[in-house]
PDB file of all heavy atoms in Angstrom:
ATOM      1  N   ASP A 188     179.571 -14.222 -12.594  1.00  0.00           N
ATOM      2  CA  ASP A 188     180.470 -13.657 -11.590  1.00  0.00           C
ATOM      3  C   ASP A 188     181.761 -14.447 -11.382  1.00  0.00           C
ATOM      4  O   ASP A 188     182.579 -14.065 -10.540  1.00  0.00           O
ATOM      5  CB  ASP A 188     179.745 -13.537 -10.245  1.00  0.00           C
ATOM      6  CG  ASP A 188     178.850 -12.313 -10.194  1.00  0.00           C
ATOM      7  OD1 ASP A 188     178.945 -11.467 -11.097  1.00  0.00           O
ATOM      8  OD2 ASP A 188     178.033 -12.213  -9.260  1.00  0.00           O
ATOM      9  N   GLY A 189     181.919 -15.526 -12.117  1.00  0.00           N
ATOM     10  CA  GLY A 189     183.126 -16.329 -11.953  1.00  0.00           C
ATOM     11  C   GLY A 189     182.952 -17.629 -12.704  1.00  0.00           C
ATOM     12  O   GLY A 189     181.924 -17.852 -13.341  1.00  0.00           O
ATOM     13  N   ARG A 193     182.724 -20.688  -8.345  1.00  0.00           N
ATOM     14  CA  ARG A 193     182.617 -19.333  -7.799  1.00  0.00           C
ATOM     15  C   ARG A 193     181.272 -18.703  -8.144  1.00  0.00           C
ATOM     16  O   ARG A 193     180.634 -18.051  -7.315  1.00  0.00           O
ATOM     17  CB  ARG A 193     183.772 -18.482  -8.336  1.00  0.00           C
ATOM     18  CG  ARG A 193     183.992 -17.201  -7.549  1.00  0.00           C
ATOM     19  CD  ARG A 193     185.335 -16.574  -7.922  1.00  0.00           C
ATOM     20  NE  ARG A 193     185.693 -15.540  -6.965  1.00  0.00           N
ATOM     21  CZ  ARG A 193     186.288 -15.771  -5.809  1.00  0.00           C
ATOM     22  NH1 ARG A 193     186.573 -17.007  -5.451  1.00  0.00           N
ATOM     23  NH2 ARG A 193     186.586 -14.771  -4.985  1.00  0.00           N
ATOM     24  N   THR A 226     180.310  -9.036 -11.634  1.00  0.00           N
ATOM     25  CA  THR A 226     180.567  -8.240 -10.440  1.00  0.00           C
ATOM     26  C   THR A 226     181.619  -8.956  -9.601  1.00  0.00           C
ATOM     27  O   THR A 226     181.515 -10.156  -9.360  1.00  0.00           O
ATOM     28  CB  THR A 226     179.283  -8.056  -9.616  1.00  0.00           C
ATOM     29  OG1 THR A 226     178.279  -7.456 -10.430  1.00  0.00           O
ATOM     30  CG2 THR A 226     179.540  -7.153  -8.411  1.00  0.00           C
ATOM     31  N   PHE A 227     182.623  -8.195  -9.154  1.00  0.00           N
ATOM     32  CA  PHE A 227     183.710  -8.804  -8.394  1.00  0.00           C
ATOM     33  C   PHE A 227     183.750  -8.262  -6.966  1.00  0.00           C
ATOM     34  O   PHE A 227     183.530  -7.075  -6.733  1.00  0.00           O
ATOM     35  CB  PHE A 227     185.039  -8.557  -9.107  1.00  0.00           C
ATOM     36  CG  PHE A 227     185.084  -9.170 -10.484  1.00  0.00           C
ATOM     37  CD1 PHE A 227     185.088  -8.372 -11.615  1.00  0.00           C
ATOM     38  CD2 PHE A 227     185.080 -10.548 -10.644  1.00  0.00           C
ATOM     39  CE1 PHE A 227     185.104  -8.928 -12.883  1.00  0.00           C
ATOM     40  CE2 PHE A 227     185.096 -11.119 -11.912  1.00  0.00           C
ATOM     41  CZ  PHE A 227     185.106 -10.311 -13.042  1.00  0.00           C
ATOM     42  N   PHE A 228     184.050  -9.165  -6.025  1.00  0.00           N
ATOM     43  CA  PHE A 228     184.007  -8.860  -4.603  1.00  0.00           C
ATOM     44  C   PHE A 228     185.413  -8.918  -3.997  1.00  0.00           C
ATOM     45  O   PHE A 228     186.380  -9.252  -4.685  1.00  0.00           O
ATOM     46  CB  PHE A 228     183.078  -9.856  -3.894  1.00  0.00           C
ATOM     47  CG  PHE A 228     181.642  -9.772  -4.346  1.00  0.00           C
ATOM     48  CD1 PHE A 228     181.229 -10.365  -5.541  1.00  0.00           C
ATOM     49  CD2 PHE A 228     180.696  -9.085  -3.588  1.00  0.00           C
ATOM     50  CE1 PHE A 228     179.903 -10.286  -5.961  1.00  0.00           C
ATOM     51  CE2 PHE A 228     179.370  -8.999  -4.002  1.00  0.00           C
ATOM     52  CZ  PHE A 228     178.978  -9.595  -5.185  1.00  0.00           C
ATOM     53  N   ASN A 229     185.492  -8.617  -2.688  1.00  0.00           N
ATOM     54  CA  ASN A 229     186.817  -8.637  -2.052  1.00  0.00           C
ATOM     55  C   ASN A 229     187.334 -10.064  -1.846  1.00  0.00           C
ATOM     56  O   ASN A 229     188.465 -10.253  -1.406  1.00  0.00           O
ATOM     57  CB  ASN A 229     186.819  -7.857  -0.733  1.00  0.00           C
ATOM     58  CG  ASN A 229     185.923  -8.444   0.341  1.00  0.00           C
ATOM     59  OD1 ASN A 229     185.433  -9.565   0.216  1.00  0.00           O
ATOM     60  ND2 ASN A 229     185.698  -7.681   1.409  1.00  0.00           N
ATOM     61  N   THR A 230     186.520 -11.050  -2.162  1.00  0.00           N
ATOM     62  CA  THR A 230     186.979 -12.441  -2.147  1.00  0.00           C
ATOM     63  C   THR A 230     187.625 -12.825  -3.479  1.00  0.00           C
ATOM     64  O   THR A 230     188.171 -13.922  -3.612  1.00  0.00           O
ATOM     65  CB  THR A 230     185.795 -13.389  -1.864  1.00  0.00           C
ATOM     66  OG1 THR A 230     184.717 -13.059  -2.747  1.00  0.00           O
ATOM     67  CG2 THR A 230     185.322 -13.252  -0.427  1.00  0.00           C
ATOM     68  N   ASP A 231     187.540 -11.935  -4.463  1.00  0.00           N
ATOM     69  CA  ASP A 231     188.172 -12.185  -5.760  1.00  0.00           C
ATOM     70  C   ASP A 231     189.642 -11.788  -5.716  1.00  0.00           C
ATOM     71  O   ASP A 231     190.075 -10.981  -4.893  1.00  0.00           O
ATOM     72  CB  ASP A 231     187.467 -11.401  -6.864  1.00  0.00           C
ATOM     73  CG  ASP A 231     186.247 -12.125  -7.397  1.00  0.00           C
ATOM     74  OD1 ASP A 231     186.427 -13.178  -8.032  1.00  0.00           O
ATOM     75  OD2 ASP A 231     185.124 -11.648  -7.153  1.00  0.00           O
ATOM     76  N   THR A 232     190.395 -12.344  -6.629  1.00  0.00           N
ATOM     77  CA  THR A 232     191.797 -12.004  -6.806  1.00  0.00           C
ATOM     78  C   THR A 232     191.994 -11.627  -8.276  1.00  0.00           C
ATOM     79  O   THR A 232     191.133 -11.914  -9.115  1.00  0.00           O
ATOM     80  CB  THR A 232     192.712 -13.195  -6.485  1.00  0.00           C
ATOM     81  OG1 THR A 232     192.472 -14.242  -7.464  1.00  0.00           O
ATOM     82  CG2 THR A 232     192.446 -13.731  -5.085  1.00  0.00           C
ATOM     83  N   PRO A 233     193.119 -10.997  -8.609  1.00  0.00           N
ATOM     84  CA  PRO A 233     193.371 -10.731 -10.026  1.00  0.00           C
ATOM     85  C   PRO A 233     193.260 -11.994 -10.882  1.00  0.00           C
ATOM     86  O   PRO A 233     192.756 -11.954 -12.002  1.00  0.00           O
ATOM     87  CB  PRO A 233     194.796 -10.168 -10.024  1.00  0.00           C
ATOM     88  CG  PRO A 233     194.924  -9.510  -8.688  1.00  0.00           C
ATOM     89  CD  PRO A 233     194.163 -10.399  -7.751  1.00  0.00           C
ATOM     90  N   GLN A 234     193.689 -13.132 -10.325  1.00  0.00           N
ATOM     91  CA  GLN A 234     193.670 -14.378 -11.091  1.00  0.00           C
ATOM     92  C   GLN A 234     192.249 -14.858 -11.349  1.00  0.00           C
ATOM     93  O   GLN A 234     191.949 -15.342 -12.449  1.00  0.00           O
ATOM     94  CB  GLN A 234     194.466 -15.465 -10.362  1.00  0.00           C
ATOM     95  CG  GLN A 234     194.663 -16.725 -11.177  1.00  0.00           C
ATOM     96  CD  GLN A 234     195.362 -16.483 -12.501  1.00  0.00           C
ATOM     97  OE1 GLN A 234     196.246 -15.625 -12.605  1.00  0.00           O
ATOM     98  NE2 GLN A 234     194.968 -17.216 -13.546  1.00  0.00           N
ATOM     99  N   THR A 235     191.353 -14.753 -10.357  1.00  0.00           N
ATOM    100  CA  THR A 235     189.971 -15.199 -10.593  1.00  0.00           C
ATOM    101  C   THR A 235     189.293 -14.312 -11.631  1.00  0.00           C
ATOM    102  O   THR A 235     188.476 -14.797 -12.424  1.00  0.00           O
ATOM    103  CB  THR A 235     189.148 -15.208  -9.289  1.00  0.00           C
ATOM    104  OG1 THR A 235     189.044 -13.872  -8.765  1.00  0.00           O
ATOM    105  CG2 THR A 235     189.766 -16.125  -8.255  1.00  0.00           C
ATOM    106  N   ILE A 236     189.625 -13.029 -11.638  1.00  0.00           N
ATOM    107  CA  ILE A 236     189.082 -12.127 -12.654  1.00  0.00           C
ATOM    108  C   ILE A 236     189.612 -12.506 -14.033  1.00  0.00           C
ATOM    109  O   ILE A 236     188.863 -12.609 -15.010  1.00  0.00           O
ATOM    110  CB  ILE A 236     189.432 -10.658 -12.329  1.00  0.00           C
ATOM    111  CG1 ILE A 236     188.710 -10.222 -11.052  1.00  0.00           C
ATOM    112  CG2 ILE A 236     189.060  -9.741 -13.492  1.00  0.00           C
ATOM    113  CD1 ILE A 236     189.067  -8.820 -10.597  1.00  0.00           C
ATOM    114  N   LEU A 270     183.866  -4.176  -2.036  1.00  0.00           N
ATOM    115  CA  LEU A 270     185.221  -3.651  -2.203  1.00  0.00           C
ATOM    116  C   LEU A 270     185.317  -2.191  -1.791  1.00  0.00           C
ATOM    117  O   LEU A 270     184.394  -1.404  -2.024  1.00  0.00           O
ATOM    118  CB  LEU A 270     185.651  -3.781  -3.666  1.00  0.00           C
ATOM    119  CG  LEU A 270     185.997  -5.183  -4.161  1.00  0.00           C
ATOM    120  CD1 LEU A 270     185.921  -5.238  -5.678  1.00  0.00           C
ATOM    121  CD2 LEU A 270     187.386  -5.585  -3.690  1.00  0.00           C
ATOM    122  N   LEU A 278     193.043  -4.297  -7.323  1.00  0.00           N
ATOM    123  CA  LEU A 278     192.551  -5.515  -7.950  1.00  0.00           C
ATOM    124  C   LEU A 278     192.547  -5.406  -9.468  1.00  0.00           C
ATOM    125  O   LEU A 278     193.053  -6.290 -10.174  1.00  0.00           O
ATOM    126  CB  LEU A 278     191.136  -5.809  -7.434  1.00  0.00           C
ATOM    127  CG  LEU A 278     190.484  -7.123  -7.867  1.00  0.00           C
ATOM    128  CD1 LEU A 278     191.259  -8.307  -7.320  1.00  0.00           C
ATOM    129  CD2 LEU A 278     189.037  -7.173  -7.399  1.00  0.00           C
TER     130      LEU A 278
END
Side-chain angles (χ1 to χ4, degrees):
D188 280 349
R193 196 167 193 84
T226 303
F227 298 111
F228 297 79
N229 64 12
T230 50
D231 276 292
T232 66
Q234 188 58 35
T235 63
I236 293 176
L270 286 160
L278 186 64

